[in-house]
Amino acid sequence: MTYAFSPSSMLCTTHTSNVSSTAASSNGQADEYDEQQRGLRLGFIGCGTIAAAIVTGLLTQTEVQVSSVIVSRRSESKSTALVEKFGNEKIQISDDNQFIVDNCDILFLCVLPAQEEQVLTHLKINEEKILVSLVSTSKLETLRKNSGLDPDKIYKMICLPAVAQLEGTPILVPHSTNDGVKDLLSTLGGGTCIECENEDIMESMMVPTAMMGPVYGLMRQSRDFLIKKGVPAKDASQMVGRQYWAMVKDALMRCEDPDSLDDLIEEQTPGGLNEQTLKNLEGVGFLNSYNDAMEAVLQRIKGETDGSMKSTV
């Protein structure tokens, strides 16, 4: 099924190719149909890693029609790469934030936290626009104040770069008041977008997204261990990458069951290497430190601390 949107109403409708001649004969109805056929216009202020991933995902998916995307020039390497990948007919680069706002239906804010207020307060945003902030420290009330938009036009979304491949899980707050926004953003997660009840829930759910770096750190540790033991670097890299993928895939296949991770641990061979390694790590406080790191991240997200932990090294 392909979705078409009327940007003025942002209501999702099912599009079919059978348009009656009666409807087409009316100029007003024909204009409305042409608008739906046009698809959504998307604007991105800021074009870093996450913005580029979202653009790639939304222009790759086929469920929701996207007619055009305008992105900020910075970072120029990423905006230029997007144009090279999708072409000038689909993507335009602009140095003018107001131009981006004026020529989009949904505006994605992808700037640094320190830039958010300055960027928004210098823009005139039409009341019909939808604002989706990807700024990690954004607060809905602050977005409302600085943008002038009504609360039902403002969202905060968090996702990881895997959305470029339509994988991962976008998380959104608040619950979408129209199906169009969720339908669009769900395409980034292969049909999944988790809507949070409130900002406290969103902030807690942001914590695992900050564990991407630590996971890559563990993988690097495993790779370097193998290399030190004489394994060729390419073999070590391939083995670690594919092994972690296989483990994550097992968890993904069962993720609808809240007890699945407990079950996967219970399935480890009694007295085996995996069971022993887990006990060793628990014994030296590794998992407790991991939990402490998550608490520190949450405190930073909430603005309570700078997120630092006391070093034990």
Side-chain angles (χ1 to χ4, degrees):
M1 179 182 294
T2 300
Y3 296 103
F5 291 83
S6 169
S8 60
S9 65
M10 286 298 296
L11 294 177
C12 177
T13 60
T14 303
H15 165 64
T16 63
S17 58
N18 297 322
V19 181
S20 69
S21 57
T22 302
S25 65
S26 167
N27 288 337
Q29 289 174 318
D31 289 343
E32 181 179 355
Y33 176 72
D34 288 343
E35 187 178 53
Q36 290 180 338
Q37 282 287 83
R38 172 172 62 83
L40 285 170
R41 302 173 304 160
L42 308 179
F44 288 78
I45 295 181
C47 190
T49 299
I50 292 297
I54 294 172
V55 172
T56 300
L58 291 179
L59 290 182
T60 300
Q61 59 83 28
T62 58
E63 294 297 313
V64 177
Q65 293 185 31
V66 174
S67 63
S68 64
V69 176
I70 307 177
V71 299
S72 298
R73 185 172 303 278
R74 295 181 61 185
S75 112
E76 189 162 8
S77 61
K78 290 183 170 57
S79 60
T80 301
L82 288 170
V83 172
E84 291 175 350
K85 182 178 180 67
F86 295 104
N88 287 313
E89 292 184 359
K90 208 69 173 179
I91 294 188
Q92 181 177 353
I93 297 174
S94 176
D95 294 306
D96 186 344
N97 288 343
Q98 189 62 53
F99 177 83
I100 296 174
V101 171
D102 293 342
N103 291 277
C104 73
D105 304 308
I106 301 181
L107 175 66
F108 291 84
L109 185 66
C110 306
V111 299
L112 297 174
Q115 300 170 329
E116 179 188 292
E117 181 177 1
Q118 182 180 12
V119 169
L120 281 180
T121 55
H122 282 77
L123 296 173
K124 294 181 180 179
I125 306 177
N126 184 282
E127 63 182 9
E128 294 299 320
K129 307 290 185 182
I130 297 289
L131 172 64
V132 180
S133 175
L134 277 296
V135 181
S136 62
T137 56
S138 284
K139 302 292 184 182
L140 293 175
E141 178 56 28
T142 303
L143 291 171
R144 185 201 63 76
K145 176 183 176 182
N146 291 334
S147 69
L149 292 171
D150 290 337
D152 64 348
K153 300 290 186 180
I154 298 171
Y155 299 92
K156 177 180 177 179
M157 183 176 78
I158 298 296
C159 61
L160 294 178
V163 296
Q165 290 80 45
L166 308 183
E167 297 177 348
T169 306
I171 54 177
L172 186 72
V173 70
H175 281 272
S176 175
T177 55
N178 68 67
D179 292 336
V181 171
K182 186 177 181 182
D183 284 335
L184 176 70
L185 300 181
S186 292
T187 65
L188 294 170
T192 299
C193 177
I194 296 179
E195 296 178 287
C196 300
E197 188 69 30
N198 53 54
E199 286 183 281
D200 285 339
I201 297 296
M202 159 70 93
E203 289 171 347
S204 294
M205 293 192 71
M206 287 172 62
V207 172
T209 71
M211 295 297 107
M212 178 173 64
V215 169
Y216 290 152
L218 289 173
M219 295 177 70
R220 181 180 62 187
Q221 232 17 45
S222 296
R223 179 205 64 191
D224 292 349
F225 174 84
L226 293 177
I227 292 173
K228 288 178 181 177
K229 299 302 180 183
V231 177
K234 183 177 180 180
D235 290 346
S237 180
Q238 285 187 323
M239 189 274 180
V240 170
R242 295 183 65 84
Q243 196 67 35
Y244 270 77
W245 166 244
M247 290 185 284
V248 171
K249 189 175 180 180
D250 280 344
L252 177 62
M253 291 174 64
R254 307 189 194 186
C255 67
E256 296 293 330
D257 177 6
D259 298 323
S260 61
L261 295 176
D262 302 284
D263 294 338
L264 285 168
I265 291 174
E266 287 297 321
E267 290 173 8
Q268 305 305 304
T269 303
L273 299 178
N274 279 283
E275 183 187 70
Q276 183 177 38
T277 303
L278 180 59
K279 287 182 178 180
N280 285 342
L281 291 174
E282 290 174 335
V284 297
F286 176 85
L287 296 186
N288 288 335
S289 296
Y290 198 86
N291 192 68
D292 291 343
M294 290 193 288
E295 290 288 355
V297 169
L298 182 57
Q299 289 170 357
R300 177 181 174 184
I301 292 170
K302 290 181 175 294
E304 298 171 352
T305 70
D306 66 359
S308 299
M309 293 173 58
K310 183 180 294 186
S311 176
T312 59
V313 177

